[in-house]
Amino acid sequence: MNRLFSLFVVVSMSALLFGCGDNTADTTTPEPGTTAAPIPNISLSVVKTYPHDTSSFTQGLVVYKGQLFEGTGGDADNPVSSKNSHLLKVNLETGKAEKSIALDDHHFGEGITVLNDTVYQLTWTERKVFVYTLPDLKKIKEFDFNTDGWGITNNGKELIVTDGSGNLYFYNPSTFQLLHTQSVTHNGELAYNLNELEYIDGFVYANVWQQPYILKIDPANGLIVGKIDVSDIWQRINNRDPNDVPNGIAYDAETKKYI
């Protein structure tokens, strides 16, 4: 997919913190000729909202050791422009950036993840990933890769990347060498527009670009095992700005809450 617009704020003007709990829906594969089994729903409840800088077009969110990091891309006046692409260390309570690293104007920032005190930030069509150290956010290297960059997370050993297709790509974090590719499916049909990612308790959670869903994926086989519907949140935000879409998933392991 060729994206014509940026992925805007986390949900829009606020980052929304919410907790999720699985419903006990049936995941049994249907017999041939019968109705396809639906994706089990995962319940959602908003417990708190936080301010967010509306000049930031959120492409990636990470909570690491209690600190919120954000990757941005796009410009408020020209969403397809790579200007205003940054790596940010953000104060969650105030929404203000405590540290900001600007990307060159020709690089469009995308998803981010943190592994072993190291930040990895994708770029979109430039097909580069930038690597920074913590806590100083000093850039130490960059890698090339062979797809567009959309979302990124990690399982503690490998980096997991999306390119807007229905695939998850697993990379070596030291070399960014592609290790293997996993197709994401439900009832044999390939997923699409997989975007921002978060790895939580053995599962990959993927935002679906321009759709009100977050998918829960088993990375071992690519099966979609759950779905979070954020339609109500999206509608609430659209009442203020119809251009904003849900994008950005972060998980605080200490509080067991999602952002």
Side-chain angles (χ1 to χ4, degrees):
M1 175 184 175
N2 180 18
R3 291 187 297 176
L4 299 179
F5 301 97
S6 299
L7 309 180
F8 296 101
V9 183
V10 177
V11 168
S12 179
M13 298 177 65
S14 298
L16 295 179
L17 181 63
F18 56 89
C20 297
D22 288 332
N23 288 341
T24 56
D26 183 16
T27 61
T28 304
T29 302
E31 294 295 328
T34 62
T35 303
I39 300 173
N41 291 319
I42 299 174
S43 62
L44 173 152
S45 60
V46 177
V47 297
K48 191 172 183 179
T49 63
Y50 293 99
H52 187 268
D53 183 355
T54 55
S55 68
S56 292
F57 288 74
T58 303
Q59 306 289 354
L61 281 181
V62 172
V63 175
Y64 185 72
K65 296 181 178 179
Q67 177 64 57
L68 180 66
F69 296 91
E70 180 178 4
T72 72
D75 184 84
D77 297 321
N78 182 9
V80 296
S81 169
S82 57
K83 294 181 180 179
N84 205 30
S85 289
H86 292 83
L87 174 62
L88 306 173
K89 178 182 177 182
V90 180
N91 184 308
L92 179 61
E93 295 294 333
T94 66
K96 303 296 184 181
E98 298 177 344
K99 191 172 183 63
S100 176
I101 306 298
L103 276 62
D104 294 339
D105 284 350
H106 61 285
H107 286 128
F108 190 106
E110 283 283 351
I112 64 170
T113 193
V114 184
L115 176 62
N116 298 328
D117 290 333
T118 304
V119 182
Y120 297 83
Q121 182 178 28
L122 299 179
T123 59
W124 179 19
T125 57
E126 300 80 23
R127 300 187 173 188
K128 290 185 178 293
V129 57
F130 300 134
V131 186
Y132 310 82
T133 56
L134 290 177
D136 55 355
L137 292 183
K138 179 181 178 181
K139 182 181 173 183
I140 56 172
K141 65 179 72 172
E142 62 183 64
F143 297 111
D144 296 318
F145 60 107
N146 294 325
T147 70
D148 289 350
W150 284 40
I152 184 170
T153 188
N154 73 85
N155 59 13
K157 296 179 180 180
E158 303 159 309
L159 301 174
I160 307 171
V161 174
T162 56
D163 64 351
S165 69
N167 294 323
L168 299 177
Y169 302 90
F170 293 75
Y171 289 90
N172 182 312
S174 298
T175 63
F176 219 76
Q177 176 185 1
L178 180 63
L179 301 174
H180 64 99
T181 302
Q182 177 63 63
S183 297
V184 176
T185 62
H186 176 67
N187 289 328
E189 294 188 3
L190 186 66
Y192 61 93
N193 287 1
L194 299 181
N195 190 27
E196 230 281 286
L197 300 176
E198 188 75 4
Y199 186 85
I200 306 169
D201 295 334
F203 293 93
V204 173
Y205 289 75
N207 168 271
V208 182
W209 167 237
Q210 289 193 327
Q211 296 291 323
Y213 304 118
I214 297 171
L215 302 179
K216 181 180 180 181
I217 302 162
D218 185 342
N221 52 28
L223 296 180
I224 300 172
V225 298
K227 179 175 68 175
I228 303 169
D229 188 336
V230 297
S231 298
D232 290 345
I233 297 174
W234 194 0
Q235 184 59 53
R236 183 192 310 177
I237 299 305
N238 277 177
N239 291 336
R240 293 183 289 185
D241 190 337
N243 294 317
D244 286 341
V245 298
N247 194 60
I249 312 166
Y251 179 69
D252 189 337
E254 295 181 3
T255 64
K256 307 296 183 184
K257 297 295 190 298
Y258 304 73
I259 297 175

